[in-house]
Amino acid sequence: MIDPAKSPPLYVPVGMALAGILGLLALQALVLYKAPMIFGPFRFNPAALAAVHLFTLGFATSVMIGAFHQITPVMLLGRPVEGRWALLQCAAYLAGSWALVWGFYHSAGPWITAGGTLVVLSLLAFAALVVRAMRSATQWTVAGRFMAVALSFVLGTVVWGLVLAFNLRFGFLPNPLDYSPLGAHVLLGLGGWFMLTIFGVSYQLFPMFALTNRPGAASGTTVLVLLAAGLWGAFASLLLHLPAAVTAAGLVTVAAGAARYALDFAAMMRQRRRAELDLSMRFAVTALAFLVPAALLLVLSAWHRPAAVPGAWLFLFGFVATMILGMLYRIVPFLFWHYLMKHRRTKTQRLPTLDQMFSQRAARAGYHCWTAGVALTGLLLLGGALGWWDARYLVRGSIILNLIGSLLFAGTLLQVFTARPIDGKE
Ligand code: HEM
């Protein structure tokens, strides 16, 4: 999987993963501090907008940018990105996304539009760099096809997001109470960029992590076509204010794609050669389990708006973040292990195994804290959406669990980076 000649410099994927983790920690501090405001009514809510974009851009997309630069050339046997171009692109992206978050938090129009513009430009550069690696590909996999299509979704999300950002400032869209433009942005971002990418990459990684068979390419391609057609169709329908039945048809197509993916995933789990799931796969299975209630609540929010709050929580923290953390638990030690291998003093110097590079007990404790925090907060927010209690203050208690989980994760990374070759001279 890792051919140094096909890999970008280590600081690209690892630097972006660290930037992402910093975003996640900052986000949780913000959520604890501003929970009563963030979990209130979500439209035009500065703290909620800042928190959502600190998650989507500051954390998740940062990690994914590094992962795309790493995976694309390695998996497709193409030309790796040049370190300094990637560095420039990533620095512009990080500056833009943090400026945008700052602008949302302070309702500062110029920061929002300037930060948003920088995000869009840096992601155009990102897409150009990844497409360059893809054009030199010498083998195409299902995951590679998903990643190519995912690029169209991230660009669609942020370009339309920028239109909404200018609209916040100059108010040119006719009806401020219309939810369709916001729904279109959220659909592309959550469905197209996050869900579609995660499904696609899982076709590559799950067979390696769980020691199982890879589903046939035709099946993965069917999932991709259903998801992409359904999501772009529903997006166009929302934008053009077509009848609700057209949007619903798009969403049903997406649901069919997700159901087909569920069958592939079930087959991968059934055919695995090692009964016990490792930590990454445990995170992955948990993430997919959170996706089910998350998607139901988000669809339900078309009729009962408050359901969007637990839905968004379960989607972002339950599905996206749980999956990303699980993958990083495996990939970061793996990349650093290869770095150590390449820089050994002598060929006889032994390296620690991946499991020896960090405390397994602390990592397992991290998994339990994280998932308990997601589930408990989800339940509290659901009760709040049903009017059973005021969840905005209660969630401060449960989100602490998530913070502990991510601090344990950050500790794992520090441990990994202090691993060194074992000085055996045999
Ligand atoms: C992967 C990238 C992104 C994702 C997944 C995403 C997701 C979201 C979500 C879930 C919301 C709803 C939040 C709420 O109403 O509280 C939202 C709102 C919004 N986003 Fe993004 N976003 C992304 C990038 C961007 C970018 C780059 C910009 C600006 C350039 C932007 C501008 C906006 C604006 C202005 C709103 C509020 C729109 C309104 O209420 O009319 N987004 N976004």
Side-chain angles (χ1 to χ4, degrees):
M1 171 85 186
I2 302 282
D3 172 359
K6 299 276 177 228
S7 299
L10 184 72
Y11 57 74
V12 176
V14 169
M16 288 308 272
L18 289 178
I21 295 305
L22 197 70
L24 183 63
L25 292 175
L27 167 65
Q28 285 169 106
L30 177 70
V31 172
L32 281 174
Y33 175 52
K34 284 283 179 189
M37 201 173 163
I38 290 174
F39 294 111
F42 58 89
R43 198 81 200 273
F44 307 124
N45 171 342
L49 281 174
V52 163
H53 292 87
L54 194 45
F55 182 99
T56 56
L57 298 170
F59 163 57
T61 304
S62 299
V63 178
M64 288 162 74
I65 286 176
F68 265 60
H69 280 315
Q70 169 68 37
I71 295 177
T72 324
V74 172
M75 183 177 67
L76 304 180
L77 301 182
R79 196 163 30 160
V81 65
E82 260 185 59
R84 62 204 157 103
W85 283 114
L87 201 63
L88 207 65
Q89 181 265 306
C90 291
Y93 170 79
L94 290 174
S97 40
W98 285 79
L100 178 66
V101 168
W102 177 266
F104 275 141
Y105 188 73
H106 293 283
S107 294
W111 281 85
I112 297 178
T113 44
T117 306
L118 195 51
V119 170
V120 170
L121 292 177
S122 66
L123 285 176
L124 283 170
F126 163 67
L129 293 173
V130 173
V131 167
R132 191 167 161 269
M134 286 177 168
R135 280 164 59 107
S136 60
T138 47
Q139 73 170 15
W140 270 91
T141 61
V142 170
R145 282 184 211 131
F146 269 81
M147 289 168 83
V149 175
L151 288 179
S152 72
F153 280 107
V154 70
L155 293 181
T157 308
V158 298
V159 169
W160 183 240
L162 190 58
V163 175
L164 295 180
F166 275 96
N167 178 57
L168 277 189
R169 199 167 159 196
F170 301 110
F172 48 82
L173 292 177
N175 177 6
L177 295 178
D178 180 7
Y179 275 76
S180 305
L182 174 63
H185 173 62
V186 172
L187 196 66
L188 289 194
L190 303 198
W193 176 226
F194 291 145
M195 190 177 79
L196 185 140
T197 308
I198 288 174
F199 284 0
V201 171
S202 80
Y203 279 107
Q204 185 75 22
L205 295 185
F206 287 179
M208 285 161 27
F209 292 176
L211 297 185
T212 183
N213 299 335
R214 187 159 285 142
S219 173
T221 308
T222 308
V223 174
L224 177 59
V225 169
L226 288 172
L227 291 182
L231 286 164
W232 278 118
F235 172 78
S237 167
L238 284 173
L239 230 58
L240 302 172
H241 288 101
L242 299 182
V246 181
T247 312
L251 293 180
V252 169
T253 312
V254 175
R260 186 76 193 82
Y261 173 79
L263 290 179
D264 280 350
F265 176 72
M268 283 193 269
M269 288 298 97
R270 246 194 344 267
Q271 293 161 5
R272 68 184 194 276
R273 292 184 282 285
R274 192 174 52 201
E276 204 200 338
L277 294 175
D278 72 359
L279 190 66
S280 288
M281 282 310 294
R282 228 182 293 169
F283 268 98
V285 172
T286 310
L288 289 170
F290 280 131
L291 176 61
V292 179
L296 289 176
L297 285 166
L298 285 174
V299 170
L300 225 129
S301 72
W303 294 276
H304 182 63
R305 295 249 186 270
V309 178
W313 167 266
L314 288 174
F315 193 97
L316 294 176
F317 277 78
F319 171 54
V320 179
T322 306
M323 184 66 80
I324 289 180
L325 288 179
M327 296 296 112
L328 289 181
Y329 261 117
R330 183 74 171 239
I331 290 169
V332 173
F334 191 58
L335 290 177
F336 195 66
W337 188 90
H338 271 269
Y339 172 82
L340 290 178
M341 178 76 139
K342 197 170 147 194
H343 292 89
R344 275 187 308 180
R345 245 183 308 117
T346 63
K347 289 240 179 299
T348 53
Q349 246 189 337
R350 283 185 303 128
L351 295 181
T353 63
L354 293 186
D355 284 354
Q356 288 167 341
M357 288 173 85
F358 60 90
S359 157
Q360 298 295 312
R361 265 182 67 190
R364 271 198 300 274
Y367 166 82
H368 290 301
C369 283
W370 177 265
T371 43
V374 170
L376 200 56
T377 309
L379 287 174
L380 288 173
L381 291 173
L382 182 60
L386 294 171
W388 293 347
W389 49 64
D390 186 349
R392 292 172 304 154
Y393 295 89
L394 296 175
V395 292
R396 279 196 166 128
S398 53
I399 287 172
I400 294 265
L401 287 169
N402 287 97
L403 184 58
I404 298 174
S406 28
L407 285 172
L408 283 166
F409 176 73
T412 296
L413 291 191
L414 290 182
Q415 246 184 323
V416 166
F417 296 135
T418 51
R420 291 289 172 268
I422 305 163
D423 247 333
K425 293 191 174 60
E426 76 269 43

